[in-house]
């Protein structure tokens, strides 16, 4: 009994145990730097090739359009226009984009009401810019034939825009001056052509 009282007295007199101090605050961990990765497909950069020689291409085009009267003794204001033309594209300089000759030879028809019928042979040599299947040029042509049973001779100058890689289309806007016994007929012709031009 005495020992129990002594042990209790010792426990009451001893100071309470202190709790350990809290750990010092730690800084927030620095995250790894953000890296943005953009996915990119295969990129093909155009590099001009000044020494590259384009090939000569030949073919033809079949054009449909309209011939509108600007001045002169054309009986109607507008008529149907048809062109069947053999063409060649001949580069005269080197490079992916080159100057070229645009020779053309073919048949042209103008047909409308009120005795408006013309059958012509056309031949011309143009100058333009060639870039693979694309061609842009100005083509002056001689026009000879018959218009409403009368002889006719004239000049046609057209602006041609063409895109044909083994088949494509051409768009031409042209002015034609046709000399007939009745006077000079001025026409504006717009045609769109199915074009096939193949390399030799």
């Amino acid at each position: 009994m005495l020992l129990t009282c002594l042990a209790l007295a010792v426990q009451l007199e001893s100071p309470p145990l202190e709790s350990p101090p809290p750990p010092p605050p730690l800084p927030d961990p620095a995250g790894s730097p953000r890296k943005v990765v953009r996915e990119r497909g295969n990129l093909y950069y155009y590099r001009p090739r000044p020494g590259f020689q384009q090939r000569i291409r030949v073919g033809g085009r079949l054009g449909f359009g309209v011939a509108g009267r600007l001045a002169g003794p054309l009986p109607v204001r507008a008529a149907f226009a048809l062109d069947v033309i053999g063409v060649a594209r001949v580069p005269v300089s080197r490079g992916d984009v080159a100057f070229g000759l645009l020779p053309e030879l073919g048949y042209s028809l103008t047909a409308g009401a009120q005795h408006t019928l013309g059958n012509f042979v056309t031949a011309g040599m143009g100058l333009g810019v060639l870039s693979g299947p694309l061609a842009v040029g100005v083509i002056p042509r001689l026009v000879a034939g018959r218009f409403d049973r009368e002889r006719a001779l004239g000049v046609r100058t057209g602006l041609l825009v063409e895109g044909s890689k083994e088949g494509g289309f051409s768009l031409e806007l042209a002015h034609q001056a046709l000399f007939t016994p009745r006077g000079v007929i001025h026409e504006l012709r717009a045609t769109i052509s199915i074009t096939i031009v193949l390399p030799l």
Side-chain angles (χ1 to χ4, degrees), residues 5 17 111 137 150:
C5 291
L17 297 176
E150 297 177 341

Side-chain angles (χ1 to χ4, degrees), residues 140-155:
R141 302 181 185 88
L142 291 176
V143 179
R146 300 184 70 85
F147 182 79
D148 195 19
R149 300 182 182 180
E150 297 177 341
R151 292 183 179 179
L153 184 66
V155 178

Side-chain angles (χ1 to χ4, degrees), residues 15-192:
L17 297 176
E18 295 181 359
S19 61
L26 297 176
D28 294 335
S32 58
R34 177 180 295 180
K35 184 178 181 181
V36 178
V37 178
R38 299 182 184 276
E39 294 184 359
R40 305 174 70 181
N42 295 330
L43 298 179
Y44 298 94
Y45 295 97
Y46 173 75
R47 294 183 177 87
R49 296 173 290 175
F52 175 70
Q53 179 66 53
Q54 297 188 45
R55 299 173 64 181
I56 298 174
R57 299 184 300 139
V58 297
R61 57 190 185 94
L62 176 64
F64 305 91
V66 62
R69 180 185 66 190
L70 296 178
L74 187 66
V76 294
R77 293 185 177 181
F80 172 73
L82 170 70
D83 292 328
V84 182
I85 300 175
V87 304
R89 305 295 179 243
V90 184
V92 295
S93 65
R94 292 180 176 272
D96 292 324
V97 179
F99 289 104
L101 299 177
L102 312 177
E104 295 195 352
L105 175 65
Y107 165 78
S108 184
L109 169 71
T110 301
Q114 302 179 14
H115 304 288
T116 303
L117 179 62
N119 294 278
F120 310 102
V121 174
T122 66
M125 175 68 74
L127 180 64
V129 177
L130 307 177
S131 179
L134 304 177
V136 178
V138 176
I139 307 176
R141 302 181 185 88
L142 291 176
V143 179
R146 300 184 70 85
F147 182 79
D148 195 19
R149 300 182 182 180
E150 297 177 341
R151 292 183 179 179
L153 184 66
V155 178
R156 182 188 302 173
T157 303
L159 172 63
L160 179 73
V161 179
E162 178 179 280
S164 175
K165 184 177 182 181
E166 300 180 0
F169 296 92
S170 302
L171 178 64
E172 183 180 17
L173 186 64
H175 168 263
Q176 177 172 285
L178 193 63
F179 297 87
T180 69
R182 291 177 289 175
V184 182
I185 301 173
H186 291 272
E187 297 176 349
L188 182 65
R189 298 172 65 95
T191 56
I192 184 168

